[in-house]
Amino acid sequence: MVIKMSRPLHRGVPAIRVTSSSNGLLDSQVKEQIEKEELDRNQSSHRFPFWSLFSDNSPLTKYDATDNGFASDPFIVGTPRSRHRLTILLLKSSLVVIVILALTGSFWWTLSISTSSRGHIFHSSRRLQEQLVSDLWDIGELSFGTSRMKEIEFCPGELENYIPRFNVSENLDSGFSDGNEYDRVCRQGSRQNCLVLPPMNYKIPLRWPTGRDIIWVANVKITGQEVFTSGSLTKRMMMLEEEQISFRSASLMFDGVEDYSHQIAEMIGLRNESNFIQAGIRTILDIGCGYGSFGAHLFSEQILTICIANYESSGSQVQLTLERGLPAMIGSFSSKQLPHPSLSFDLLHCARCGIDWDKNDGSFLIEVDRVLRPGGYFVWTSPLINVQSSLRNKEKQKRWNFVRDFAENLCWELMSQQDETVVWKKTSKKTCYNSRISGSGPSICSKVQDVEFPYYRPLQNCIGGMHSRRWVPIEERATWPSRSNLNPSELALYGLHLDELNEDTANYRIIVRNYWSLLSPLIFSDYPKRPGDEDPSPPYNMLRNVLDMNARYGGLNAALLEARKSVWVMNVVPTTGPKYLPLILDRGYFGVLHDWCEAFPTYPRTYDMVHAEGLLSLESSQHWRCTMLDIFTEIDRMLRPEGWIIMLQGWIIIRDAALLIDSARVLTRRLKWEARVIEIESNNDERLLICQKPFFKRQPS
């Protein structure tokens, strides 16, 4: 992919670009362009938006889009009622005449050019034409004033942790209970297109890996009491120090994480946690993860642990985990299935996670079984498991007996039980379900019930995943990192050939290299090094949390890891696109299904970089079920602010069709983003839009 800078990065770009002499500027530009290039005869009939020059009542200009980000076709000619309007009309007419003369002259000049040079001229004339259109649109803005380019307003201060569709108090008022108040609920008009400001004393997070162990208190919503009174095993493993929360191993409590991980490995039958990979364990779903200490410890062993927990208005497990640079998202077992395919994870972990597994007729355990791969493990730590305690409390003993018996009916093997921890192993053989005593457990889902791609469907009371062609025990899969390169038989399940995946991987190698060749000068021009310091290879120590909004096969994730970038990627497969999420998960990455017309289940300011290749084309093919502005304000909500002097944060990279990129660039001004458009010479129909979200500090009220 060959790329060429076409527009500079503007900081603090105003709503309208005003020139001192619009007519003179256009005249000189047209003459200069005619001297350099000419337009091909076949392009002389190129559609040109002359109507925007004549229409005083037109609701849009090029940089004045509708909520969708697209200009409508406002061919409405108003009658001038003043001398001012007559002057503007004459100015526009003059511009049109100049353009027609320029195009006509270019046409006759083209006829005299030799055939051998026409290919180069066609390529250049197309750019000339596009630039001419762009300049005329800019001039057209002068006649409409600044009202059309009104910037998006900032949200009120109380919305600093705003997550659309998650509002516990409103859910309680609506009658939700029994854990359902934590669910995502769609309400008419619940989305607010405003820009979420950071907290008053927000600071740019520390660089990885320092940021894994130390975070700023002001960046998250948590009280000192929540720090010291939390009951979760891994929540207790932190200390409050002035403006920071420390997760370093400075106390005996932190030694418990390593000992706990070692204990789990031994209960599985391994020497220690470093052998998880050899046992087929690569991806772990940590339910109610505390603040991510379990996953942080296993990260050095190349184990990918994703945290899911309920929405919490304060002291959020998900928010603090993401602030540490660890994978996390809001998720609940209360009433809906998780937005993951069946057979997705190698191990599920729950350490005092707050879920009553004996409730709801065992449907929570059935959901665990659905997302757990054959041969995978379920690890549960709870006081309920303590034998001595249960013997003294008949109610606890009854609840433990229910979970133990239900797990057996799910064909889980009880591998080991120590103190408050128990480990089960899911069966690798489908024949186990047929050998159960009739009526002793949940039935197997029918093909109609067994949906492989559920998207927040109600919890099922039958065993899912049995009809999936991906029923492969974890011990029979290739171990990491070989797992990322699927073999031909595995790819055939998705209708793909090996050369298609190899081509995608090679393409993303080039894309990642080009992205960072663009970002590196910007990073180091704003972050001067001390004498003798070496340039870290971006995004190492610069970017950590990456969101891929249209992940396809997970190629970006693969290329970043291959390039040894110290990042993790949230791979999102849109509900409106091809369903390759199981492929991404089978490669050993993490991913989730999501509808981008809805709010993503995360807190504000949680991602360093957002990548969206082809997303706008995908949504436009669905006739824009929501506006481009809706999508962009959601991106802004998820992005961390940046500090140009301290470190780079908050990049958006969008690659799409040229027309869509031009429309997207319109909205970047309204969102106050600093934007740069890159032309891709290898593909004239695509452009690259790179934006940066500024760091707007909240002013004291």
Side-chain angles (χ1 to χ4, degrees):
M1 179 182 72
V2 182
I3 51 184
K4 178 181 178 181
M5 299 290 187
S6 63
R7 295 185 180 94
L9 183 65
H10 299 285
R11 297 189 185 178
V13 180
I16 289 185
R17 185 173 60 190
V18 180
T19 58
S20 58
S21 177
S22 303
N23 194 8
L25 174 62
L26 177 66
D27 192 28
S28 62
Q29 287 179 343
V30 172
K31 289 180 180 179
E32 180 180 358
Q33 289 164 343
I34 293 175
E35 292 175 359
K36 293 182 178 179
E37 311 288 348
E38 78 291 340
L39 297 173
D40 185 75
R41 174 174 51 186
N42 295 330
Q43 291 292 309
S44 63
S45 61
H46 182 76
R47 185 182 177 188
F48 193 76
F50 292 116
W51 56 83
S52 66
L53 300 177
F54 284 105
S55 174
D56 286 333
N57 295 328
S58 174
L60 301 169
T61 70
K62 176 184 176 186
Y63 294 118
D64 185 19
T66 63
D67 284 343
N68 248 349
F70 292 101
S72 59
D73 191 1
F75 191 42
I76 304 172
V77 181
T79 303
R81 298 181 180 179
S82 64
R83 183 175 300 175
H84 174 68
R85 291 191 176 183
L86 181 59
T87 302
I88 292 177
L89 181 60
L90 291 174
L91 174 62
K92 294 176 180 178
S93 301
S94 301
L95 294 175
V96 172
V97 172
I98 292 173
V99 171
I100 292 175
L101 291 175
L103 294 177
T104 303
S106 176
F107 169 76
W108 289 109
W109 187 34
T110 301
L111 297 179
S112 64
I113 303 299
S114 64
T115 305
S116 60
S117 61
R118 288 184 181 179
H120 174 72
I121 292 174
F122 171 78
H123 181 73
S124 301
S125 65
R126 178 172 180 169
R127 293 189 179 182
L128 172 62
Q129 202 171 31
E130 290 176 351
Q131 183 62 43
L132 192 59
V133 173
S134 177
D135 292 339
L136 287 173
W137 275 113
D138 289 341
I139 294 173
E141 287 179 357
L142 294 173
S143 62
F144 290 100
T146 60
S147 60
R148 304 293 188 186
M149 285 296 296
K150 183 178 180 182
E151 293 184 339
I152 306 299
E153 296 180 353
F154 292 113
C155 300
E158 60 269 18
L159 295 181
E160 65 184 31
N161 289 304
Y162 171 59
I163 308 178
R165 297 200 173 198
F166 288 92
N167 192 313
V168 176
S169 58
E170 286 189 16
N171 290 350
L172 290 172
D173 293 340
S174 301
F176 291 89
S177 60
D178 297 328
N180 295 333
E181 65 271 18
Y182 298 105
D183 280 352
R184 55 196 292 280
V185 178
C186 179
R187 292 184 174 85
Q188 193 69 23
S190 61
R191 179 188 292 270
Q192 299 191 36
N193 281 334
C194 58
L195 306 182
V196 179
L197 280 170
M200 182 68 69
N201 298 315
Y202 181 88
K203 297 182 180 181
I204 297 299
L206 300 173
R207 295 182 179 183
W208 179 270
T210 305
R212 175 191 59 198
D213 302 322
I214 300 175
I215 64 174
W216 300 107
V217 175
N219 290 12
V220 295
K221 189 174 182 180
I222 189 171
T223 64
Q225 184 179 5
E226 288 172 326
V227 172
F228 295 115
T229 62
S230 174
S232 171
L233 175 66
T234 52
K235 275 186 178 180
R236 293 200 305 265
M237 298 177 182
M238 61 181 180
M239 297 176 293
L240 193 62
E241 301 175 351
E242 297 182 358
E243 297 181 343
Q244 299 175 336
I245 296 177
S246 174
F247 300 85
R248 286 177 172 167
S249 301
S251 70
L252 294 177
M253 288 189 295
F254 287 90
D255 297 332
V257 176
E258 184 174 353
D259 292 341
Y260 177 65
S261 303
H262 189 81
Q263 177 190 5
I264 293 175
E266 289 184 333
M267 294 174 71
I268 291 176
L270 306 174
R271 183 175 180 180
N272 53 47
E273 59 270 31
S274 63
N275 298 118
F276 277 160
I277 292 290
Q278 285 70 27
I281 300 173
R282 157 66 179 171
T283 55
I284 296 178
L285 184 65
D286 195 358
I287 307 164
C289 62
Y291 298 132
S293 296
F294 181 63
H297 172 70
L298 294 177
F299 181 79
S300 60
E301 306 295 342
Q302 299 191 50
I303 303 296
L304 183 62
T305 304
I306 175 76
C307 163
I308 64 165
N310 282 331
Y311 165 79
E312 298 166 289
S313 58
S314 180
S316 166
Q317 303 171 68
V318 171
Q319 187 181 39
L320 267 79
T321 301
L322 284 164
E323 189 68 18
R324 298 180 65 185
L326 301 168
M329 62 175 286
I330 299 172
S332 174
F333 273 81
S334 56
S335 62
K336 301 289 194 305
Q337 288 183 322
L338 298 174
H340 307 294
S342 302
L343 318 179
S344 294
F345 299 99
D346 304 317
L347 187 148
L348 268 73
H349 174 252
C350 164
R352 299 184 182 180
C353 60
I355 296 179
D356 296 325
W357 297 107
D358 58 309
K359 303 297 183 183
N360 206 18
D361 299 324
S363 60
F364 302 152
L365 291 171
I366 293 176
E367 178 65 2
V368 169
D369 182 85
R370 184 186 71 83
V371 298
L372 194 61
R373 286 195 174 100
Y377 302 92
F378 178 50
V379 180
W380 182 30
T381 297
S382 169
L384 197 66
I385 301 170
N386 190 298
V387 177
Q388 299 300 325
S389 175
S390 298
L391 290 176
R392 293 191 297 266
N393 188 316
K394 291 185 178 181
E395 179 63 24
K396 284 186 176 181
Q397 186 176 10
K398 179 181 177 182
R399 294 177 61 191
W400 161 243
N401 289 339
F402 175 87
V403 175
R404 182 192 59 196
D405 295 342
F406 199 90
E408 183 179 352
N409 290 325
L410 288 172
C411 284
W412 292 0
E413 176 190 356
L414 180 59
M415 298 196 67
S416 181
Q417 181 179 348
Q418 295 181 13
D419 302 325
E420 296 185 350
T421 302
V422 62
V423 176
W424 282 285
K425 181 180 176 67
K426 178 178 177 177
T427 185
S428 300
K429 301 178 180 179
K430 292 183 179 181
T431 55
C432 173
Y433 299 99
N434 297 325
S435 62
R436 297 176 301 168
I437 301 175
S438 178
S440 61
S443 60
I444 296 175
C445 293
S446 64
K447 287 187 177 180
V448 176
Q449 295 172 310
D450 196 0
V451 178
E452 189 165 10
F453 306 99
Y455 186 66
Y456 297 109
R457 289 201 325 158
L459 289 173
Q460 302 291 303
N461 289 318
C462 56
I463 300 175
M466 294 292 293
H467 300 283
S468 174
R469 295 179 298 171
R470 297 169 48 246
W471 182 281
V472 180
I474 62 171
E475 54 267 19
E476 295 181 14
R477 293 181 179 272
T479 58
W480 180 262
S482 300
R483 179 189 288 191
S484 63
N485 301 314
L486 299 181
N487 60 48
S489 60
E490 291 172 318
L491 290 173
L493 298 177
Y494 310 101
L496 296 175
H497 298 286
L498 184 60
D499 54 351
E500 292 180 85
L501 185 63
N502 291 338
E503 181 181 353
D504 182 74
T505 301
N507 183 42
Y508 269 101
R509 287 194 192 107
I510 299 173
I511 287 174
V512 166
R513 185 165 59 249
N514 285 331
Y515 282 173
W516 264 259
S517 68
L518 292 171
L519 293 182
S520 296
L522 300 176
I523 291 173
F524 296 116
S525 65
D526 290 296
Y527 305 102
K529 308 181 300 300
R530 294 179 179 179
D533 288 352
E534 294 183 356
D535 291 350
S537 178
Y540 183 76
N541 286 344
M542 297 294 181
L543 305 175
R544 174 60 184 168
N545 301 355
V546 176
L547 176 68
D548 193 353
M549 299 179 72
N550 187 23
R552 287 174 53 80
Y553 312 144
L556 178 67
N557 197 153
L560 288 170
L561 292 180
E562 184 178 303
R564 297 180 177 271
K565 309 302 183 184
S566 186
V567 303
W568 69 271
V569 181
M570 176 68 77
N571 295 287
V572 181
V573 173
T575 56
T576 54
K579 302 298 188 297
Y580 289 119
L581 182 56
L583 181 148
I584 293 173
L585 295 164
D586 287 349
R587 296 185 71 180
Y589 310 139
F590 179 74
V592 64
L593 196 66
H594 185 66
D595 182 350
W596 282 115
C597 284
E598 302 175 356
F600 192 72
T602 191
Y603 289 81
R605 305 172 300 278
T606 52
Y607 287 98
D608 302 314
M609 188 180 82
V610 172
H611 179 255
E613 180 179 356
L615 179 67
L616 301 182
S617 294
L618 180 62
E619 289 300 328
S620 66
S621 69
Q622 301 295 319
H623 306 291
W624 290 102
R625 301 167 302 117
C626 56
T627 69
M628 190 186 293
L629 181 61
D630 290 335
I631 296 175
F632 276 31
T633 51
E634 176 62 7
I635 292 175
D636 186 88
R637 185 187 70 86
M638 295 184 294
L639 271 173
R640 286 173 171 169
E642 59 85 20
W644 281 100
I645 299 175
I646 303 174
M647 64 175 292
L648 183 65
Q649 295 284 346
W651 280 94
I652 314 104
I653 297 181
I654 300 174
R655 181 181 176 187
D656 220 304
L659 176 61
L660 293 171
I661 289 297
D662 287 341
S663 301
R665 184 171 177 264
V666 176
L667 295 182
T668 63
R669 298 186 177 188
R670 299 187 62 190
L671 292 161
K672 306 176 179 66
W673 292 350
E674 298 164 354
R676 177 187 295 244
V677 175
I678 311 297
E679 292 183 357
I680 303 175
E681 291 190 350
S682 60
N683 190 340
N684 293 325
D685 295 326
E686 281 193 351
R687 286 182 181 172
L688 188 67
L689 176 64
I690 298 182
C691 311
Q692 190 175 31
K693 175 182 174 179
F695 186 178
F696 294 106
K697 290 187 177 181
R698 181 184 296 176
Q699 300 299 323
S701 56

